[in-house]
Amino acid sequence: MAVEVVQKDTGYLLEGPHWDDVTNTLLYVDIFNKFVHSYNTVTKEAKKVEVHDAVGAIVTTTSGRTMACVGREVGYINWDAGKFETFCEIDLKKGTRFNDCKCDPAGRFYLGTMAVQDPSTSSEETKKGQGSLFCLSPDKTVREFVQNVDISNGMAWTNDHKTMYYIDSLTYGVDAFDYNIETGEIANRRQAISVPKSDGVPDGMCIDDEGMLWVALFDGWAVNRYNPKTGEKLRSIKFPTKNITSCCWGGANRDELYVTCAKHFLKPDELKEQDTAGSIFRVTDLGVKGVKCDVFKDN
Ligand code: CA
């Protein structure tokens, strides 16, 4: 197993990594700096586009475009023109913003939200219960599936399309829902994994082809691998900076784990010591393969 920095210090609160296996490109966002990033791991070409508001997530689509959640809108990123083009506006509750958002295996876009917080306060001080989990269908129908969410974060779907895993960070765990791929509906919420506070705050996650979950731990210096059927922690990958935000599978064989992290909340002395904060990591030789990042169905 090896951990390396593939892009050093590209932002402040890096989040939402999404691997585009058509172009071998890693996409990610820098939430408060309002940038979407793209990095081609083969050609090493890096691009970024500034958007008009806080950006929660970025994904690719079946038509080969890129879609991002910005402010109250979901829209396309036009990389050549450096512009955001609105697809639809979501009726977000006042004082909330998009956080982690992800597509399901049927091409719907699950949009998580949380309270807008004062950047100087900690995750624990986030105004609770303000967030939701919405589901945007390709026909632009929006449904609100979960309410009273503190910090809507990681999502993952099992290969058999029967279960969706979900992280509301301040519950310090990962929940499971029964998932219906035909309708997108989720039901029967229960806790699958409990994360002790001393391990950090569960943030973004992805799933491997053995059905195990890889959970990024904010304030936890790690991505942990768990068995969601037993709740058991199987493995912990350590990083040289503490606010690990999310992870996704990438690489030609989908066996590389790309990991984002943040400078957010780090004090000046911590920033000096953790000079990889705000970088993109790649973990290789894990002996595990991941699952493809799902894309929005727009054609
Ligand atoms: Ca997150």
Side-chain angles (χ1 to χ4, degrees), residues 207-229:
I207 192 164
D208 64 36
D209 70 356
E210 295 168 11
M212 304 294 126
L213 295 175
W214 296 72
V215 178
L217 293 153
F218 200 92
D219 198 18
W221 307 85
V223 170
N224 286 356
R225 184 183 193 229
Y226 298 91
N227 182 341
K229 296 216 165 75

Side-chain angles (χ1 to χ4, degrees), residues 90-101 110-117 123 126-135 143-153 155 166-171 177 189:
I90 310 292
D91 189 20
L92 297 190
K93 192 195 284 185
K94 199 166 176 277
T96 63
R97 65 163 176 87
F98 287 121
N99 201 41
D100 216 337
C101 308
Y110 286 63
L111 311 169
T113 65
M114 64 179 283
V116 175
Q117 75 202 101
S123 308
T126 302
K127 200 172 170 197
K128 291 190 169 188
Q130 302 301 299
S132 294
L133 179 66
F134 296 96
C135 174
R143 292 172 286 173
E144 189 176 15
F145 282 164
V146 187
Q147 293 182 314
N148 298 313
V149 177
D150 296 335
I151 305 179
S152 190
N153 259 314
M155 285 172 251
Y166 178 60
I167 292 174
D168 177 355
S169 290
L170 299 187
T171 66
F177 286 90
R189 184 175 184 173

Side-chain angles (χ1 to χ4, degrees), residues 159-188:
N159 265 340
D160 65 5
H161 301 154
K162 286 188 175 151
T163 307
M164 177 182 126
Y165 296 110
Y166 178 60
I167 292 174
D168 177 355
S169 290
L170 299 187
T171 66
Y172 289 88
V174 180
D175 289 351
F177 286 90
D178 296 341
Y179 164 70
N180 181 332
I181 191 170
E182 300 301 325
T183 62
E185 274 161 24
I186 52 175
N188 187 24

